Amino acid sequence: MMDSVKVGEVKCKSILSRSKIYGVDYSVNPYIGCLHGCVYCYSRFMCRRAGYEPGDWGSFVNVKTNALETLKKNLKGSRRGIVLLSSVTDPYQPVEEKYRLTRQLILELMNWKYPLTILTKSSLLSRDLDIFSGAPDLEIGFTLTVLDGETAKVFEPRASPVEKRIKTLRQASNKGIKTFIFFGPMLPGFSEHYFDELLDLASDIGVSRVIVDKLNIKSGNWKSIKKALENNYPDKLNLYIDSLFKGNRYFHSLKRKILILSRQRRVPVEFCY
């Protein structure tokens, strides 16, 4: 963990939130903020709620210390449904190693027999494979935007290295746990070079599906994306401006390519756009 990050402890009034995300009913976010610091993340709207500015994204996290107690209360008045961990934070970011909130919450939700979808960029998830094995209504997904480690460091500076994510995903699948890959957001000029390799990987691991999303400009994330490009890949800046601000033609063309390749490999693909 970075020495300069700010870790705070807060109390929450509710933690089981109704979700508008396709395919899930609720979201549970054990933390406010995320230390992975992904430059494209649009969850940075959470900054103001935590007393920070959008540019502070990745430098702070607030820990909901009463998360388990609050979840127990929420569950008593809720109807059973699919729960996503997490929608605006990574449930296995570095502070989870100390606080273990995600593990506690998952055990409680499993006790209530709520179906679970877990999405992360962290190999710390391997710590909890012991509680996942044999769970009938649980699926684990790893986010992969690119398969090149150096590029990943630019856009996802403190997420687990790509090879560690893939290793943990494979470990989960080998234990009979339902798994998926979240291929997104697709980064113009980068992600499209990995279509074949990623779908081959999905087929080899035996994931249940690949979910694909395009890069979305929200909540002030363009500023950090633009800065990352100017500092590392200035030759790609015009491509981003064209593909993000001049219609969706670019991403629709990528969608067609993925569909063709996924059918060849018989890998189910779902699109978020």
Side-chain angles (χ1 to χ4, degrees):
M1 196 185 302
M2 297 183 301
D3 294 334
S4 60
V5 301
K6 300 179 180 70
V7 179
E9 295 185 352
V10 297
K11 300 287 187 180
C12 59
K13 295 181 179 179
S14 179
I15 197 166
L16 185 68
S17 304
R18 278 285 178 183
S19 177
K20 296 181 181 179
I21 297 173
Y22 173 77
V24 301
D25 302 298
Y26 303 100
S27 63
V28 167
N29 291 281
Y31 306 103
I32 301 171
C34 184
L35 298 183
H36 285 166
C38 300
V39 300
Y40 52 72
C41 186
Y42 51 77
S43 294
R44 63 191 66 229
F45 67 85
M46 297 296 294
C47 289
R48 296 195 185 279
R49 299 186 189 181
Y52 293 90
E53 295 298 319
D56 296 324
W57 186 252
S59 69
F60 75 92
V61 61
N62 286 342
V63 181
K64 299 177 182 179
T65 55
N66 65 331
L68 181 59
E69 174 189 346
T70 303
L71 178 64
K72 290 179 178 179
K73 293 177 181 178
N74 292 164
L75 287 169
K76 291 178 181 178
S78 298
R79 181 178 295 180
R80 185 172 178 269
I82 301 172
V83 179
L84 169 66
L85 280 97
S86 297
S87 59
V88 291
T89 189
D90 193 305
Y92 283 100
Q93 63 177 293
V95 290
E96 170 62 18
E97 189 167 6
K98 173 183 176 181
Y99 286 93
R100 301 172 71 88
L101 291 184
T102 296
R103 183 180 175 96
Q104 295 173 34
L105 296 172
I106 288 171
L107 285 169
E108 186 66 21
L109 288 161
M110 290 173 67
N111 186 50
W112 283 71
K113 302 188 185 305
Y114 272 56
L116 298 175
T117 296
I118 301 168
L119 180 61
T120 184
K121 290 189 182 85
S122 174
S123 59
L124 178 59
L125 178 140
S126 62
R127 180 200 66 189
D128 291 343
L129 288 177
D130 63 316
I131 64 173
F132 299 148
S133 297
D137 292 318
L138 179 144
E139 63 174 352
I140 291 171
F142 272 83
T143 297
L144 298 172
T145 52
V146 295
L147 298 181
D148 168 58
E150 291 304 312
T151 304
K153 285 180 184 178
V154 171
F155 292 99
E156 305 160 344
R158 291 179 295 280
S160 291
V162 172
E163 63 271 17
K164 288 189 175 181
R165 295 184 226 174
I166 294 171
K167 179 181 178 180
T168 308
L169 180 66
R170 191 181 295 277
Q171 288 174 335
S173 186
N174 288 342
K175 286 183 174 291
I177 300 167
K178 187 178 179 181
T179 57
F180 68 95
I181 291 172
F182 183 80
F183 185 40
M186 284 195 293
L187 303 172
F190 298 100
S191 298
E192 60 262 46
H193 299 306
Y194 302 101
F195 286 171
D196 283 285
E197 188 177 351
L198 182 126
L199 290 168
D200 285 341
L201 177 69
S203 178
D204 180 54
I205 292 177
V207 301
S208 64
R209 55 182 171 153
V210 174
I211 302 174
V212 183
D213 198 7
K214 68 183 183 71
L215 180 59
N216 293 292
I217 300 304
K218 296 179 181 179
S219 304
N221 61 351
W222 171 240
K223 185 176 181 179
S224 60
I225 294 168
K226 185 171 181 284
K227 182 178 179 181
L229 291 169
E230 289 173 339
N231 290 340
N232 298 276
Y233 309 105
D235 58 309
K236 296 189 185 297
L237 186 57
N238 286 336
L239 170 62
Y240 275 70
I241 293 171
D242 289 343
S243 59
L244 294 171
F245 301 106
K246 298 182 180 180
N248 286 318
R249 185 177 304 172
Y250 181 84
F251 287 108
H252 284 308
S253 69
L254 298 185
K255 188 174 186 177
R256 290 191 291 270
K257 293 178 183 178
I258 292 174
L259 281 171
I260 293 170
L261 294 173
S262 65
R263 287 167 183 162
Q264 291 172 352
R265 291 160 177 79
R266 298 182 180 179
V267 174
V269 174
E270 299 174 12
F271 290 89
C272 298
Y273 71 97

